[in-house]
């Protein structure tokens, strides 16, 4: 029968394949890796193909917004300051308001705004500034 080791080996191969899939996924989705991170955070259940395209566009536009030269994210340690923090957050809201599909409820919209904003702050805290 199947020994534990054989299973382990098969699982390992699957895992490595998944990783490769994952690292190439942004290419398939037509997004950069940073845009894909945002896209994944924005996605929700049961999106139509058309809606998925809208969510992709939202991710691209968001990334564009936070990497612009005049973005508050360019201020050193912006996330520690109320003013630039508010500017970045309202920028996120504006983009999502314009580009997310209509099927996102108000609650879902607010949750996604929070999640994406938290992600941007986290990236900044890790010193991964969104420098274009």
């Amino acid at each position: 029968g199947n020994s534990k080791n054989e299973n382990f080996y098969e699982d390992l191969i699957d895992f490595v394949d998944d990783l490769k899939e994952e690292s190439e996924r942004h290419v398939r989705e037509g997004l950069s890796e940073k845009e894909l991170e945002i896209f994944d955070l924005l996605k929700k259940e049961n999106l139509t193909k058309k809606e998925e395209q809208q969510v992709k566009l939202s991710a691209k536009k968001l990334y564009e917004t936070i990497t612009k030269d005049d973005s508050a994210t360019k201020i050193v340690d912006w996330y520690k300051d109320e003013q630039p923090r508010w500017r970045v957050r309202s920028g996120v809201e504006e983009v999502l308001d314009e580009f997310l599909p209509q099927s996102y409820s108000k609650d879902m919209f607010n949750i996604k705004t929070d999640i994406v904003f938290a992600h941007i702050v986290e990236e900044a805290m890790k010193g991964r500034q969104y420098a274009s």
Side-chain angles (χ1 to χ4, degrees):
N2 245 356
S3 73
K4 262 208 165 82
N5 280 349
E6 275 175 38
N7 279 343
F8 174 75
Y9 188 64
E10 280 169 23
D11 289 347
L12 195 62
I13 291 175
D14 287 345
F15 177 67
V16 171
D17 282 348
D18 287 349
L19 278 185
K20 210 168 110 212
E21 275 270 286
E22 191 53 39
S23 70
E24 290 162 6
R25 207 178 109 228
H26 71 96
V27 179
R28 281 205 311 281
E29 299 282 11
L31 299 166
S32 73
E33 287 183 33
K34 292 280 187 201
E35 290 166 346
L36 183 68
E37 285 175 7
I38 297 172
F39 172 64
D40 283 343
L41 296 174
L42 288 176
K43 268 193 316 202
K44 71 179 181 79
E45 305 273 277
N46 310 320
L47 287 170
T48 66
K49 271 274 164 263
K50 184 173 180 288
E51 287 176 332
E52 201 171 283
Q53 290 308 316
Q54 285 176 274
V55 178
K56 274 185 193 172
L57 186 61
S58 305
K60 280 181 186 270
K61 289 288 177 193
L62 256 182
Y63 186 69
E64 207 175 283
T65 303
I66 56 182
T67 51
K68 278 211 300 253
D69 284 343
D70 61 355
S71 167
T73 56
K74 293 283 192 265
I75 298 165
V76 176
D77 288 349
W78 62 268
Y79 52 87
K80 293 179 182 169
D81 251 323
E82 204 175 321
Q83 197 58 39
R85 243 199 1 243
W86 180 84
R87 266 177 55 202
V88 173
R89 184 169 167 114
S90 59
V92 169
E93 257 175 45
E94 273 169 40
V95 172
L96 296 185
D97 196 38
E98 189 175 345
F99 294 100
L100 276 184
Q102 289 304 303
S103 65
Y104 281 67
S105 65
K106 193 72 193 125
D107 279 350
M108 180 63 87
F109 174 84
N110 291 333
I111 290 167
K112 294 300 186 185
T113 304
D114 285 344
I115 289 173
V116 169
F117 181 66
H119 169 71
I120 296 167
V121 169
E122 198 184 335
E123 289 288 289
M125 288 170 81
K126 287 178 186 161
R128 279 186 279 220
Q129 293 301 349
Y130 281 110
S132 30

